[in-house]
Amino acid sequence: MILKYLFAKNEAIPVGSAAIFFGFSAIIWFMIGTGLGSFNAAKLAFPDFVTGTEMFAFGHMRQVHVLAVIFGWISMAFAMAMMYITPILGNTRLWSEKLGLWNCMMWNVALALGLTLLWMGVTSGREYSDFPWPLDLAVAAFITIPLAINVWMTIIKRRTQGIYTTNWFFAASTFMLIIVFLVGNLPEYFHLTGLTEAYMTWWFAHNVLGLWITPVAAAIAYYVIPKVTGNPLYSHRIGHLHFWSIVVFYSTPAAHHLMSAPLPEWLKSFASVEGVLILVPAIAFVSNILLTMQGKWNMFVENLEVRFTVVGVLLAIPLNMQGGFQQTRSINWYIHGTGWMVAHAHLALLGFSTFLEAAAVYLGLQTLMKRKLYSLTLGNLHFWLLLIGFSTYWISMTIAGLIQGAGKIYEVPYIDVVIAEHPYMIARWLGGTMVFSSTILWLYNMWMTAREGTVIPAGRMPHELAYER
Amino acid sequence: MNFREYRIGSRAFGVAFGLSMSITLFFPSFDLAASISSEVGLDKQLTSGWDSGWQLADPLLNGLNKPLKVLVRKDPKSGEPMEPVYAYVYPAGTSLPNGVTHTANLGKGVEELSVKQGRITEARKESGAVFLIKKSDQLLTFEDKPLSYMENATATKGWTPDEVLKQAADSDILHAGSGKTMFVREGCWWCHTLLPEQTQDWQVFGAPPMLGDFNGESPTAFGSDRKGPDLLHVGSRNASREWMMLHFFNPRLVQPHSIMPRFDYLWGEVDADGKKIDFKKWRSEYDEYREGKITTPPDVPMYAKDSEIRNLIDFVINLK
């Protein structure tokens, strides 16, 4: 349906086509990514569940799960948000709907190809930058660069004088993603080896989270909360503090991922101090958004998009408290390499950021398709399954991590740690499966919204209409 | 950009981002480039060869384009018995390791000795080469250990890859280089780190790696997430091939509580005698054993010499 516009004239493509394409792609990748996650978790709880096939071995599927949620779900939801928020804030149209559609299609093709190869075991062997370098170049050419061009051109061609906070973040992050992606994969093009390769791997992993996922997710909150509640942003200046401290403090602590590797000590100490300073953008962001909610807290209960956004923002508090301190030497020695880290990574990607992206996709699809959400009941079910599933996962993995840490420090034979962790592995699988089921409900709900949602009259916003089911 | 503030802002952004890139990439590069390869580092890069992840010469990660680590017991020239020594054999056409093609990677001291006394720059990919690790009488600056260097035995002793391989028994040939590819492809490093930490880990998993232990290795694949024991020194704790064989075929044969996946598919189609392995039968017999219907588990087939599991076991045993 949308594919028919690929070869249409740009003017003939309906406004929002690219964003809708991205939105549905994102939800489908979310379903695939969490489905793989649930499958992997089942294998950790029950090792003989599906066995003896190379394709279904844990070591072949773990990285497919990670990259499917990062580049499929999260980044596509970001692209979706950019494709409709950037033009709205510039009081203009997207620079090129056609480029947006092609970007989305090539993104799906490149990602499906890359993940299939990765699944077969074709990997560079570097965590988070697992794709071999020809695929890295394809990702840069078909995914990150066209997205940045579209966002930047839309901002440059805007019909407003100023640029709103959300668009600062979109512009800066799309640019930084290109740099981070190309520089982070230098070891593969130029065959850099040894500690350089190890350090660059984590330089990439840190910055793709710090300069892409975290700021873009925050930018979504800067849009959704003022737009839906009708309150102006609490403070433009705190927004400035947030933006600049992300650029300065979040881009520097890469080495804190390798605190027990033989890197230069000055680099580790520097990274550790900068790592604590991550609390500066975090506190600025959380306080700014929560203060914007003043007088409108009823919407936290009544409105689905606000609820998703505020929960995401609230989860940023434990996320950054953990993130700021767990990388210091005094804590890192205990929890490094344990399930605690797995829990923390899911708090960042499945907690904080997924809730914000879900809000953007809910709001964007309703706005662009001009249809009210089909069912609040299904929306609520999605919300609670996601939240309870995520919490089960996070709590069980945190406990498992503390057990592992204790096992490490008190020199417990490793197999006893495995035995002690078993109940938490089952809990993790249950939590992950709840998240996976919630995505199926969500996809159905959005599909029905597209087909049967009540039409939103021109000039009205989705939240101004009452929920019907 | 309509406002003066935006021009100032974009310049400030450039300065901030550039500064952060300098501190996190440019400055550390001096320290990292100055690291001097230790004996462990030389052994690791000579064992694993050019690259263990995706490479043009091995696009599906089948363990191609890899050297062999051979225990030489007889002089390949004269056939006389000699003090056993490990040689790293690069058959003709095998990519040479990073330290040979970019000697600066070896670090100060090691580079000079390897080039002048070891004559490594004379090694050619087309004709293949055999390398040895030699100790010098100088000391490493950061460890109280002798400085080691690479020697190109093809140039200094006239050992050719074919001669070295011909004199060696199959049990003296370690396919550890191809095994590293298996380790990367099968994702062993998602659960097993190669990085004992600088904590009480010393007691259980042995000494953490030192600066210089990684020169020339790619990918280092030391992992970030531990769900099983660290493996950096596993070959020192357990060097039994029989145990490894049982454990890889089905970890629960030797450790009932293990959550490791079965790697029986790495055996390939046939066993050591060329007989077809009946996995279906094995699994159903194993299920009967699990249910208590039979008292002993079925026998694990002996792997073929050229199977992928042989490479992986060689790699693991070689982690000393």
Side-chain angles (χ1 to χ4, degrees), chain A residues 48 54 59-60 62-63 122-123 127 163 191 193-194 197 199 203 251-252 266 336-337 404 408 411, chain B residues 6 20 24 31 50-51 54 98 186 190 197 201 203 214 216-217 220 224-226 252 262 265 290:
Chain A
D48 283 324
E54 188 161 359
H60 281 253
R62 191 249 198 217
Q63 61 273 46
V122 178
T123 170
E127 188 166 1
I163 303 174
H191 200 251
T193 57
E197 181 262 346
Y199 175 59
W203 186 90
S251 61
T252 41
W266 70 264
H336 178 82
Q404 259 181 299
K408 183 166 81 173
E411 298 158 32
Chain B
Y6 288 161
S20 123
T24 58
D31 281 344
W50 171 251
D51 200 294
W54 185 88
N98 209 43
E186 295 304 320
W190 293 120
E197 293 171 18
D201 257 16
Q203 309 284 331
F214 297 103
E217 197 188 6
T220 43
S224 62
D225 177 8
R226 202 184 272 176
R252 279 150 300 280
R262 303 182 194 180
Y265 56 84
R290 242 189 345 184

Side-chain angles (χ1 to χ4, degrees), chain B residues 31 40 54 57-58 99-100 144 154 158 170 174 203 215 220 226 228 249 269 272 275 284 303 315 318-319:
Chain B
D31 281 344
V40 175
W54 185 88
D58 187 13
V100 175
D144 197 16
T154 311
D170 186 61
L174 286 170
Q203 309 284 331
N215 287 32
T220 43
R226 202 184 272 176
F249 201 82
E269 297 277 303
K275 282 207 304 260
S284 67
Y303 52 80
F315 173 75
N318 187 47
L319 290 167

Side-chain angles (χ1 to χ4, degrees), chain A residues 72-145:
Chain A
W73 158 238
I74 294 174
S75 299
M76 278 198 163
F78 283 170
M80 189 271 178
M82 289 171 183
M83 298 275 150
Y84 85 94
I85 295 177
T86 310
I88 289 177
L89 291 174
N91 193 19
T92 182
R93 281 184 60 155
L94 184 65
W95 181 65
S96 169
E97 285 286 343
K98 195 168 173 176
L99 179 64
L101 286 174
W102 275 100
N103 188 4
C104 185
M105 197 190 68
M106 293 309 289
W107 192 324
N108 278 312
V109 170
L111 193 61
L113 175 71
L115 292 182
T116 309
L117 287 172
L118 207 55
W119 203 333
M120 289 162 59
V122 178
T123 170
S124 66
R126 302 172 63 231
E127 188 166 1
Y128 290 106
S129 29
D130 309 67
F131 288 145
W133 61 261
L135 276 166
D136 290 334
L137 294 178
V139 169
F142 298 130
I143 296 184
T144 60
I145 293 175

Side-chain angles (χ1 to χ4, degrees), chain B residues 220-234:
Chain B
T220 43
F222 49 58
S224 62
D225 177 8
R226 202 184 272 176
K227 303 180 208 58
D230 187 276
L231 295 185
L232 188 64
H233 305 292
V234 67

Side-chain angles (χ1 to χ4, degrees), chain A residues 111 130 155 158 189 265 349 389:
Chain A
L111 193 61
D130 309 67
I155 293 177
R158 72 190 183 280
Y189 329 127
E265 289 298 315
L349 299 186

